Amino acid sequence: LILNTAHGRLSLSEKEFTDTVERDAPSFRWQGPGADLIMDDLKSLFENSRVIEFKNWSDVKNSSAIWDNLRRDVIRPLSNRDFDFIFYLGDLTGRLKFEVDEFLDIIGDFSVCGRVTLVLEERDVDGIREIFFGKEADSGKSVLPGLREKCRSVFDLINIEYLVAGSYSDAHFFSKQQQFEIEGKRGIDLPKIERRHFISGYMLGLLLRFDNSHSITLGLAMAGLYSGIADKPDGKSLIGFIEKWRGELEPLTITGSSLEMV
């Protein structure tokens, strides 16, 4: 959670909070000692937040139940429709189609409360397509689909606002209104690119009310900047990185119109 205002820690201990959530998630109800206090804490946190990032779906026990419960019992009653939700898929190994389909349905339901972004790596895109369309989905085609075409087929499966896919050194963006690709700065150390650095810049763009292209550009800039230095960068180094990168970028073509970095 990125909080709009200063806020204290949860009043309950982390262990009690975690135990309560894990025990009650399968029943889709918050129950037991301390549950009312947890609900009050959660509502207060979400009331003071606008950008909400979730962990990898595959890494959290009972994630589908917990997140659906959060949406229904905590987020929706706030009557706020200005949230930005960011979701990740994670490792699909051993996952069944109905499990992935349920996850996609649940994050689609979050659209009632704000804008939903699903962030995928290329392997995630391939994993979803294999689950829904089969391993032989592209067999017999004279030209295999590229990442753009594969992303489009995945985006069409989900009721969300935005899909961002790529390697965090470049990114494909999809929405119902537009689609585009942004290439990152050349010459950066790709093995050092990390999602958390891309997302830190992307979320900062959302908080600053940047449009989609500039939020993603800021994410790519943060990822590229962190990949090339050992120390924690500051605002001056970020601006310097963007200025050097700016000359490399081609105008972004978006459904017939052009955008340029500003």
Side-chain angles (χ1 to χ4, degrees):
L1 293 169
I2 298 181
L3 299 178
N4 300 329
T5 58
H7 192 279
R9 294 178 60 85
L10 288 171
S11 59
L12 301 180
S13 71
E14 183 178 348
K15 182 179 186 305
E16 184 174 350
F17 178 84
T18 303
D19 288 348
T20 301
V21 169
E22 289 190 348
R23 182 185 65 245
D24 294 335
S27 67
F28 293 91
R29 286 290 179 269
W30 308 96
Q31 300 170 349
D36 289 341
L37 291 176
I38 287 176
M39 288 293 289
D40 290 341
D41 278 327
L42 286 172
K43 288 179 179 178
S44 180
L45 284 172
F46 280 92
E47 278 179 334
N48 290 284
S49 303
R50 190 171 67 79
V51 179
I52 301 166
E53 179 191 15
F54 291 78
K55 292 187 67 174
N56 284 350
W57 168 71
S58 63
D59 293 346
V60 180
K61 182 181 178 182
N62 297 319
S63 54
S64 293
I66 293 171
W67 294 348
D68 194 44
N69 207 0
L70 276 174
R71 177 194 59 81
R72 185 189 60 238
D73 295 338
V74 177
I75 299 172
R76 190 172 63 181
L78 297 177
S79 299
N80 183 355
R81 300 297 179 263
D82 195 33
F83 288 113
D84 277 290
F85 303 105
I86 300 175
F87 291 93
Y88 313 106
L89 193 58
D91 186 7
L92 288 178
T93 303
R95 293 289 185 166
L96 301 174
K97 180 179 178 180
F98 84 87
E99 294 178 301
V100 180
D101 196 29
E102 180 184 46
F103 162 73
L104 297 179
D105 283 344
I106 287 172
I107 67 173
D109 290 340
F110 274 80
S111 295
V112 177
C113 304
R115 297 163 295 277
V116 175
T117 301
L118 177 61
V119 180
L120 301 174
E121 296 181 15
E122 186 167 1
R123 64 181 181 183
D124 302 326
V125 175
D126 290 335
I128 292 176
R129 295 184 81 249
E130 181 176 320
I131 286 175
F132 282 88
F133 305 127
K135 293 183 178 181
E136 308 301 323
D138 300 318
S139 63
K141 295 181 179 179
S142 57
V143 179
L144 294 178
L147 181 57
R148 177 189 293 270
E149 291 75 22
K150 291 190 287 187
C151 287
R152 167 54 65 183
S153 66
V154 170
F155 180 72
D156 290 341
L157 289 172
I158 320 170
N159 180 33
I160 60 174
E161 278 67 32
Y162 309 133
L163 173 68
V164 178
S167 61
Y168 312 124
S169 62
D170 55 62
H172 290 264
F173 173 86
F174 285 83
S175 74
K176 292 180 174 64
Q177 291 75 36
Q178 57 184 203
Q179 64 182 59
F180 56 83
E181 178 184 4
I182 303 178
E183 295 184 2
K185 187 178 185 301
R186 292 187 290 270
I188 63 176
D189 190 351
L190 294 181
K192 291 185 179 179
I193 292 288
E194 295 187 28
R195 184 179 75 187
R196 62 192 178 97
H197 298 145
F198 169 82
I199 288 298
S200 67
Y202 178 67
M203 290 199 300
L204 177 59
L206 295 178
L207 285 170
L208 295 174
R209 303 287 186 177
F210 287 0
D211 62 24
N212 297 314
S213 63
H214 291 93
S215 295
I216 292 174
T217 299
L218 187 56
L220 293 174
M222 288 294 291
L225 181 61
Y226 269 95
S227 73
I229 61 175
D231 298 326
K232 187 176 181 180
D234 56 17
K236 183 178 180 180
S237 59
L238 176 60
I239 293 173
F241 180 93
I242 293 174
E243 287 297 325
K244 291 179 181 178
W245 179 27
R246 186 176 180 180
E248 299 177 4
L249 285 176
E250 297 292 335
L252 305 176
T253 300
I254 303 181
T255 59
S257 61
S258 292
L259 289 180
E260 293 183 358
M261 288 188 68
V262 296

